[in-house]
Amino acid sequence: MSPDAFCQAVLQVAGIGYFGKPILTYEAAALRVFKGGRTETIRSATKDMVGFAKDFLALSKGGKKVAGEDKTRLAAMLRAAGDRHSKLAKAAGKFEGCDRHLLGLKLAALTTGEKVPELFSTAAWQLEFQLSTSQSPILQEHTKVPQELELYTLGGGFGPVADPGIGCSYHILPNRIYFYVSCRAPDASKGCDDFRARVRAALDSIVELLE
């Protein structure tokens, strides 16, 4: 599975554990191949990814090790979810996502005096992205860091867009992954620590699942 799909699986496990339920998740897809392109949305909380995360959390509750048939089944679910995620990510990068097209329709209605379609007033459309994520490449810059500073991170961030909400950017390098967590909560520092701990636990457990 792709490194990005792996990270999104980790974030789904951490996110469902943190919020206590599946939550709408945003991942940024770059549209730099298009003139004037910025981003499209990857809706990474797919049915496959959420199904894996919920089953994984249930079977590993209390630090329990997943083994035998459960381990084989979960690993297969994870790989299938990863494949689905990769297809969505590639489509979004080719401007084949849905969010920017829908935004265009809404803006066209608002700016021409047409009636705004009922879709945009539904409860589903009003849901907020409580988990907002982005992979931020830093490889080019990172190669300039002196060898003795190899373990240093160059920093980064991606803020939450909902309240309560979590923002998380991540940088994937050949032998490590950096996660940067930000939080909107009554106690943001505690929320960040909680989510960070869940990310670390999910990383260790999912790596073991795939071994």
Side-chain angles (χ1 to χ4, degrees):
M1 65 188 304
S2 74
D4 185 67
F6 171 82
C7 288
Q8 285 295 324
V10 167
L11 291 171
Q12 281 304 306
V13 170
I16 293 175
Y18 179 86
F19 288 101
K21 62 181 181 179
I23 34 72
L24 194 61
T25 305
Y26 170 92
E27 180 185 357
L31 295 177
R32 287 174 293 182
V33 296
F34 297 95
K35 183 178 180 180
R38 297 191 65 188
T39 63
E40 173 59 282
T41 302
I42 305 170
R43 291 178 173 257
S44 51
T46 62
K47 180 179 179 180
D48 290 339
M49 196 66 84
V50 169
F52 159 75
K54 290 173 68 175
D55 282 8
F56 179 80
L57 285 166
L59 290 170
S60 60
K61 189 174 182 179
K64 181 181 177 182
K65 297 288 185 181
V66 180
E69 292 183 359
D70 286 335
K71 181 177 181 179
T72 301
R73 181 176 63 83
L74 280 176
M77 290 178 67
L78 174 57
R79 290 189 173 93
D83 289 344
R84 174 62 176 156
H85 176 81
S86 294
K87 290 177 181 177
L88 286 177
K90 288 178 181 178
K94 294 189 293 183
F95 218 160
E96 295 175 2
C98 66
D99 284 79
R100 298 300 176 261
H101 293 287
L102 290 172
L103 176 62
L105 289 174
K106 182 178 182 180
L107 292 176
L110 289 171
T111 56
T112 60
E114 295 290 330
K115 181 181 178 182
V116 176
E118 293 183 4
L119 165 68
F120 299 105
S121 60
T122 61
W125 185 261
Q126 301 304 317
L127 289 173
E128 295 184 298
F129 288 103
Q130 287 188 279
L131 179 55
S132 185
T133 74
S134 178
Q135 180 189 164
S136 303
I138 60 170
L139 182 58
Q140 290 178 332
E141 292 86 350
H142 195 275
T143 57
K144 301 175 186 176
V145 176
Q147 187 64 37
E148 63 270 20
L149 300 180
E150 174 63 19
L151 294 179
Y152 281 49
T153 168
L154 299 183
F158 200 71
V161 297
D163 189 5
I166 291 288
C168 187
S169 67
Y170 50 98
H171 303 323
I172 300 172
L173 295 172
N175 58 352
R176 65 180 59 87
I177 304 172
Y178 295 117
F179 287 86
Y180 299 90
V181 177
S182 56
C183 176
R184 281 187 184 176
D187 188 336
S189 180
K190 183 178 179 180
C192 283
D193 287 344
D194 183 2
F195 192 81
R196 177 180 55 80
R198 292 179 187 278
V199 167
R200 180 57 186 264
L203 276 167
D204 292 340
S205 298
I206 294 176
V207 166
E208 186 175 332
L209 180 70
L210 292 173
E211 289 178 340

